[in-house]
Amino acid sequence: MKFLLTSSGICNPSISDALVGLLGKPIAEATALFVPTGVYPFPGGGERAWKAIHGQAPIPLTQLGWKSLGMLELTALPTIRKENWVPAVREADALLVWGGDVLYLTYWLRQSGLADLLPSLSDTVYVGVSAGSIAVTPYNCDAEFDLEFVPDGSDMVQGADRALGLVDFTLYPHLNHPDMEDTELSTIQKWASGIPVPTYAIDDNTAIKVVDGTVEVISEGGWRLINP
């Protein structure tokens, strides 16, 4: 796949230009499927999902003027015949994967079968927001936080610190966000010191573009590469 891994959506002209370049056409001529699943575990998750779907969330993603926009609900896919949803995924120009709980999102990416399908989507652009970006990396930097939302007895607790590993680096979004104490660079460096792959710490005006394994940082803000 082609990846555009963001901290806070398509929030500036540089990231927007990168998206258009990956799509190979204007957004107004491109089709997309939106994945809201990751936000459900949080209090008010249903309301947050509705606002994101309708473009009322402050993070620019669904409201960019897509030619068509559908919803792909991961928790529903195991109960649907694959021939009724896989073609829609293959035909979409972009998958827009919302933020939220990395552990929950990764679990349902696997359970739904979408995780197995993703590597075959060579022409599709995967656009991640926060948790949606972390989910395709090898390690989950939010594992300790995410475990607070796991129901008692759930098998989600197994391998909570691991994600899909579709790229060969990990990601820590929201660098130095004023409302998130754990996003200070010193905290990120401490976490990254125990990770055997490079870590990109990115702020809300930065994204990581990956095409054929080649990584490019797109930024109008701040970021840091932390090597193991």
Side-chain angles (χ1 to χ4, degrees):
M1 295 190 75
K2 294 176 282 189
F3 296 94
L4 188 62
L5 306 179
T6 79
S7 180
S8 193
I10 312 304
C11 57
N12 61 49
S14 296
I15 298 176
S16 180
D17 289 346
L19 174 58
V20 172
L22 290 171
L23 292 169
K25 54 185 160 184
I27 294 173
E29 298 176 11
T31 62
L33 292 175
F34 180 67
V35 179
T37 308
V39 78
Y40 293 140
F42 296 163
E47 180 182 358
R48 294 189 193 189
W50 188 93
K51 288 181 176 179
I53 292 164
H54 289 267
Q56 295 183 9
I59 296 173
L61 195 63
T62 59
Q63 62 269 54
L64 300 177
W66 300 92
K67 178 182 179 181
S68 70
L69 183 65
M71 189 175 82
L72 189 67
E73 177 45 62
L74 302 183
T75 61
L77 297 187
T79 65
I80 299 172
R81 295 176 69 95
K82 286 189 175 181
E83 60 264 34
N84 289 340
W85 67 266
V86 170
V89 173
R90 292 196 179 279
E91 292 166 7
D93 294 309
L95 294 179
L96 314 177
V97 185
W98 197 240
D101 186 311
V102 181
L103 177 56
Y104 186 82
L105 175 59
T106 303
Y107 177 85
W108 281 107
L109 282 165
R110 292 190 176 110
Q111 291 294 112
S112 67
L114 184 59
D116 293 331
L117 183 64
L118 290 178
S120 70
L121 304 178
S122 57
D123 294 326
T124 308
V125 182
Y126 179 107
V127 183
V129 171
S130 193
S133 296
I134 299 168
V136 300
T137 74
Y139 293 91
N140 175 13
C141 62
D142 276 350
E144 184 176 348
F145 172 72
D146 292 340
L147 285 170
E148 298 177 15
F149 299 92
V150 175
D152 293 341
S154 172
D155 59 359
M156 273 192 283
V157 300
Q158 301 174 11
D161 62 335
R162 300 304 296 267
L164 298 183
L166 299 180
V167 297
D168 59 5
F169 59 87
T170 194
L171 190 71
Y172 208 118
H174 310 300
L175 172 64
N176 292 325
H177 193 290
D179 298 325
M180 302 178 184
E181 291 183 3
D182 62 337
T183 63
E184 294 181 356
L185 182 58
S186 59
T187 301
I188 298 174
Q189 289 173 321
K190 182 178 179 180
W191 178 82
S193 67
I195 299 299
V197 298
T199 297
Y200 285 91
I202 65 171
D203 73 0
D204 286 358
N205 274 295
T206 301
I208 307 295
K209 183 175 77 171
V210 186
V211 180
D212 295 330
T214 299
V215 178
E216 180 183 350
V217 179
I218 311 296
S219 184
E220 294 187 15
W223 62 280
R224 181 73 64 90
L225 172 60
I226 306 167
N227 285 304

